[in-house]
Amino acid sequence: MSLRDRAKNVMSNFDATKDDINGYEGLPAGDYHMAVENVQETDYGQLSMKTQVIEGDNTGRIEFINISLDEVTSTGKPLPDFVIDRNIKTVARLAAVLGVAISDDAWDNMQIMVHEFNKAVGKQFKMTLTLRENKKNPQYPYKEYEFEEIKEDPFDPAQAPEVKDSDLPFGDQPQAPLDSNGERPF
C-alpha cells in the first residue's frame, strides 16, 4: 500500500479539526483467528496478552487482552462479585484454549500467572469480540470476549496448502512429455 493510499484510508475515518491524533482504534466486533505474541504484567497489575489477527480483513491488527484480578478499584472500593468472577472465568477459558496449566500459586501472584501464560506465545486461537457502549467514556467501549481452541493437526491433509507448479522454483518451465504410462520421466 502506498503512502497516498494509506493516507486516504486513515483520513476516511479521521476529522483533522477535532479528532484525537493519539487515539487507539481497537478491533471492531467480530470473529477473529488470533496468535499470542506476548504476555506480561501491566503497570496496573493486570495480565496483558498481546495478540495479533492472522487471517481476514484485519490481518496484522493487534488486540491487547487485559484482565484484572483485583478485588477492589483504584479508589479501594470493592468490585462487584460478577466482575471478579467473569475475569476469573476469562483467565481460565484462555488457559484452557491455549493449553496452559494454571497453578494455585498463580492466582495469588501475577508474576507466576504471566510466567505460566508465556508458554502460550505463538499459539493460535479463535476470538469473538463483542463491544458494548460505555456511557462514561464512549471512546472506550466495554469489550466482551469468547475464546475457542484451534486444533492443529500437522498431518491432516485437509489443512495442507495447495501447491501448484507455478509456485515451485522453475515451475513455469516446459515439462518433459508424458511416457507411455502417462508419467513424466525424471
Side-chain angles (χ1 to χ4, degrees), residues 115-128:
H115 175 73
E116 291 176 359
F117 266 97
N118 267 314
K119 297 170 188 161
V121 170
K123 292 193 177 181
Q124 299 177 19
F125 63 100
K126 288 185 182 178
M127 177 182 80
T128 299

Side-chain angles (χ1 to χ4, degrees), residues 26-167:
L27 284 173
D31 296 325
Y32 298 98
H33 187 151
M34 308 295 289
V36 178
E37 284 194 356
N38 185 16
V39 181
Q40 63 186 28
E41 181 179 359
T42 69
D43 293 341
Y44 304 103
Q46 298 176 327
L47 176 66
S48 180
M49 187 174 295
K50 180 181 178 184
T51 63
Q52 184 178 90
V53 179
I54 59 174
E55 281 184 4
D57 293 339
N58 289 290
T59 297
R61 298 267 312 264
I62 302 295
E63 177 70 13
F64 289 94
I65 302 170
N66 296 321
I67 308 164
S68 172
L69 294 174
D70 290 335
E71 297 179 74
V72 295
T73 67
S74 59
T75 60
K77 181 180 171 185
L79 281 168
D81 287 343
F82 80 91
V83 172
I84 300 166
D85 293 350
R86 182 190 64 223
N87 291 349
I88 290 170
K89 290 175 184 177
T90 301
V91 169
R93 179 67 177 187
L94 264 173
V97 164
L98 296 170
V100 172
I102 301 175
S103 67
D104 289 340
D105 291 339
W107 294 105
D108 296 324
N109 184 315
M110 186 55 70
Q111 289 295 324
I112 295 171
M113 181 76 71
V114 168
H115 175 73
E116 291 176 359
F117 266 97
N118 267 314
K119 297 170 188 161
V121 170
K123 292 193 177 181
Q124 299 177 19
F125 63 100
K126 288 185 182 178
M127 177 182 80
T128 299
L129 173 62
T130 306
L131 302 175
R132 288 188 304 113
E133 180 184 14
N134 180 343
K135 292 180 182 177
K136 291 182 183 178
N137 293 317
Q139 69 274 21
Y140 301 108
Y142 294 116
K143 296 179 178 185
E144 296 175 354
Y145 298 101
E146 287 294 335
F147 307 105
E148 285 183 54
E149 180 180 6
I150 293 179
K151 296 191 188 245
E152 298 177 37
D153 181 358
F155 302 107
D156 182 1
Q159 293 181 1
E162 180 182 335
V163 179
K164 297 177 263 166
D165 286 343
S166 61
D167 295 332

Side-chain angles (χ1 to χ4, degrees), residues 1-14:
M1 173 185 296
S2 73
L3 185 56
R4 179 184 300 198
D5 292 338
R6 188 177 190 108
K8 285 180 181 179
N9 187 32
V10 168
M11 297 306 289
S12 70
N13 298 320
F14 178 72

